[in-house]
Amino acid sequence: MNKVGAIGWPIEHSLSPAMHNAAFQALGMNDWFYDKIAIPPDIVKLSLRELRDHGYIGLNVTVPHKQAVMPFVKADAIAKAIGAVNTIDFRNNTGTNTDCSGFMDDLVANGIHISGEAVIVLGAGGAARAAVYGLSGVGAKVMIVNRTRQRAEDLIADLQVNASVMTYEEAAALPVALIVNATSVGLEPKIHESLWPEDLPLPKDAVIYDMVYRPARTRLMQMAEGQGSRVVGGLGMLVRQGAAAFKLWTGVEPPVEVMFSALYEKLSSGP
Ligand code: ATR
């Protein structure tokens, strides 16, 4: 049996097993299985060795272990830049981060072209790092708005990208192609929260991309739709970061539509 899985603490609510196991089934890969494994923070190092010794081929890594696993694997350039590993391949003990490619692939899949365009990223945590790294890499002019300004400054210095830190008002005054919510604000259960100030109109013509996928339509997306803006939720990014890990472990092209369906089913059936 080829075993892969997700480690986190907690991990019960992870949607990844449903998504990957549906993909294995659809492709007749009956010798593959995706597990979820609850690992408390203090035994991460030991657990990685145990799982590898027990024949796991690779892992997804989620909160709170994404930084903690870094010293125990060979982190690639993307993982190092983002400062977090979300996918491990035990066969060569490497760690990468597929959030960046997952996000960028989803922009392409949605026909959102941002090369040379101005983009606002809300947030300066790990998810924002993945977005800023990817967006800068394709030549977008990135503006970061974050509650803690210094964190945004640090992000730019660490990633060594040409981006700027702004306030909502400054950023909203410019012609913007895309606004990305890379924070968890708006996530269940606090579904009435939105980072964007209610009294500040969103820039006209900007697509609003919310990395939050629970609920499917966040408060920010509702505000944007009310203004006539196009909105995209975060489910596609979740699928495509998983698809990138699937491809890495199996070498097989992932059935993205099957993975989407598995997630829709899981999300509509409740927690
Ligand atoms: P992740 O790795 O998922 O991105 P994180 O590193 O905890 O998570 O980062 C969370 C981001 O959401 C940060 O940008 C945080 O702003 P600060 O840097 O000021 O802490 C932002 N964030 C979270 N809750 C927020 C809130 N209620 N209002 C504004 N920003 C918030």
Side-chain angles (χ1 to χ4, degrees):
M1 180 61 78
N2 296 306
K3 289 176 294 187
V4 287
I7 61 165
W9 184 261
I11 194 71
E12 298 89 75
H13 298 300
S14 171
L15 298 171
S16 294
M19 174 166 76
H20 285 274
N21 287 324
F24 292 144
Q25 265 175 28
L27 297 178
M29 297 167 70
N30 300 328
D31 52 342
W32 283 82
F33 183 69
Y34 190 108
D35 217 353
K36 58 184 167 194
I37 310 141
I39 304 289
D42 50 343
I43 59 162
V44 167
K45 183 180 179 184
L46 202 70
S47 306
L48 286 183
R49 193 188 308 153
E50 281 288 310
L51 292 167
R52 193 188 54 209
D53 290 350
H54 278 85
Y56 278 80
I57 285 178
L59 295 176
N60 280 139
V61 183
T62 186
V63 179
H65 304 317
K66 286 186 184 190
Q67 283 89 28
V69 300
M70 288 195 71
F72 313 123
V73 295
K74 284 178 258 141
D76 70 0
I78 284 197
K80 278 191 186 143
I82 296 170
V85 161
N86 83 337
T87 303
I88 292 174
D89 185 340
F90 280 132
R91 292 166 298 193
N92 50 14
N93 210 38
T94 51
T96 187
N97 192 309
T98 62
D99 285 340
C100 180
S101 66
F103 171 63
M104 297 306 290
D105 288 352
D106 201 44
L107 290 185
V108 172
N110 280 285
I112 300 168
H113 305 288
I114 32 76
S115 174
E117 305 281 354
V119 175
I120 302 174
V121 173
L122 307 178
R129 280 178 181 249
V132 172
Y133 190 79
L135 291 165
S136 301
V138 297
K141 296 182 211 112
V142 180
M143 301 175 276
I144 305 172
V145 180
N146 193 48
R147 177 176 59 184
T148 314
R149 191 181 177 102
Q150 186 59 46
R151 254 188 117 190
E153 309 272 7
D154 294 348
L155 182 161
I156 293 172
D158 289 350
L159 293 187
Q160 297 183 315
V161 291
N162 187 13
S164 45
V165 183
M166 293 200 183
T167 63
Y168 286 102
E169 289 73 17
E170 286 165 346
L174 301 168
V176 176
L178 175 69
I179 299 177
V180 183
N181 175 33
T183 76
S184 55
V185 175
L187 179 71
E188 283 176 359
K190 298 184 182 173
I191 59 168
H192 300 298
E193 290 184 1
S194 158
L195 272 186
W196 195 269
E198 297 271 343
D199 52 357
L200 182 68
L202 287 152
K204 218 167 71 61
D205 302 329
V207 178
I208 311 301
Y209 189 107
D210 200 330
M211 287 190 184
V212 172
Y213 54 83
R214 235 180 326 210
R217 269 178 90 241
T218 62
R219 174 77 196 121
L220 174 64
M221 289 163 74
Q222 289 171 25
M223 273 169 69
E225 278 180 336
Q227 261 191 227
S229 304
R230 181 176 169 208
V231 299
V232 180
L235 200 66
M237 176 176 171
L238 177 67
V239 167
R240 293 178 208 283
Q241 62 76 31
F246 184 100
K247 179 82 197 275
L248 182 79
W249 296 322
T250 65
V252 174
E253 212 51 56
V256 170
E257 292 310 321
V258 170
M259 297 169 92
F260 264 109
S261 302
L263 288 189
Y264 284 134
E265 195 177 313
K266 200 79 190 157
L267 286 168
S268 64
S269 66

